[in-house]
Amino acid sequence: MKEMIERTLVIIKPDGVKRSLSGEIISRFEKVGLKIVGMKMVWINKDFAKKHYPEALIPVLTEKTFLDYDAIGIKVNEKRELVGKGAYEDLLKYITEGPVIAMVLEGVHAVEVVRKLVGSTSPYKSAPGTIRGDFTHISMGYATYKKMGGRNLIHASGTVEEAKKEISLWFKDNELHSFKSVHDEHIMPN
Ligand code: UDP
Ligand code: MG
């Protein structure tokens, strides 16, 4: 039972904060019964951004950009690796352009549940009802093409391993709290 209860990292990115969507986003997690066990507003610098988004992400950004380019029918002359590197630099600028709200959420299968509520990376493909699908619509292809960073409002850890690493990067142990919420009475009745 205990091992099914997970913690995951969520970040409301600078576009979410500036668009005053923080309350709306947080309430979606609260409404499904996920517990906020840590939260803070921080304005990260480029060094920290590179710890959160290491360069190893570049092939993923390249892949996702070209998936959108192919779907939309955009042809670019620039080399694939350069496109990915450009998208990465733009991502670092985007994530450091204003304060973000970082939080740790706890619940049963929290990592997967949060990803479900967040929606897929490229908002033009994110299902309605998800945070990305309901509050933005751009594609990662458009973002890379316009050199604006993939503005999709929110970050959520992708796996349990990623969550563990990311939580220890963003939060000290004494910034995370253990307490009982009313939902605990429903999900852990015994
Ligand atoms: N991103 C981007 N261009 C892309 C793909 C992703 O700018 O082609 C950005 C976007 O903000 C995304 C972040 O990079 O949220 C991390 O990418 P990842 O593949 O981990 O997506 P996520 O896990 O956030 O859905
Ligand atoms: Mg990710």
Side-chain angles (χ1 to χ4, degrees):
M1 181 77 168
K2 186 85 179 134
E3 65 275 12
M4 291 190 223
I5 297 177
E6 298 167 355
R7 285 182 169 185
T8 189
L9 182 83
V10 164
I11 298 160
I12 303 175
K13 293 176 174 177
D15 50 336
V17 173
K18 287 183 194 167
R19 287 181 54 197
S20 303
L21 288 170
S22 307
E24 172 73 42
I25 291 171
I26 293 163
S27 75
R28 289 190 171 213
F29 298 122
E30 286 191 314
K31 280 178 190 160
V32 300
L34 289 161
K35 182 163 44 175
I36 300 166
V37 297
M39 183 182 275
K40 59 186 171 187
M41 183 179 243
V42 266
W43 194 329
I44 62 168
N45 61 24
K46 192 172 175 183
D47 281 350
F48 190 91
K50 288 182 85 164
K51 287 187 184 146
H52 178 71
Y53 287 133
E55 284 184 12
L57 188 64
I58 293 174
V60 177
L61 301 190
T62 312
E63 191 61 31
K64 290 189 175 177
T65 291
F66 277 92
L67 266 178
D68 281 1
Y69 279 174
D70 292 345
I72 305 158
I74 290 182
K75 299 260 177 291
V76 286
N77 293 324
E78 223 179 337
K79 273 198 180 147
R80 238 181 128 87
E81 309 90 79
L82 287 183
V83 172
K85 275 192 185 151
Y88 180 67
E89 282 304 317
D90 297 335
L91 172 62
L92 297 178
K93 269 192 218 136
Y94 157 47
I95 202 69
T96 56
E97 75 179 21
V100 300
I101 294 175
M103 70 194 97
V104 176
L105 299 175
E106 185 183 281
V108 180
H109 315 305
V111 172
E112 201 179 328
V113 170
V114 166
R115 291 291 290 196
K116 177 187 72 174
L117 296 175
V118 165
S120 55
T121 306
S122 197
Y124 94 119
K125 293 279 191 198
S126 308
T130 64
I131 292 165
R132 287 170 175 165
D134 281 354
F135 299 114
T136 184
H137 70 279
I138 62 150
S139 67
M140 289 300 106
Y142 181 84
T144 305
Y145 196 75
K146 290 285 184 179
K147 303 190 186 309
M148 59 187 263
R151 285 154 197 274
N152 54 7
L153 298 171
I154 184 163
H155 165 82
S157 308
T159 62
V160 173
E161 290 68 39
E162 197 175 273
K164 282 187 183 142
K165 270 194 225 147
E166 291 180 350
I167 291 169
S168 64
L169 174 66
W170 285 79
F171 285 86
K172 299 191 190 92
D173 283 350
N174 66 5
E175 292 174 319
L176 298 172
H177 307 284
S178 291
F179 60 95
K180 278 211 177 299
S181 70
V182 289
H183 295 283
D184 289 332
E185 287 172 22
H186 298 279
I187 63 171
M188 289 191 284
N190 303 309

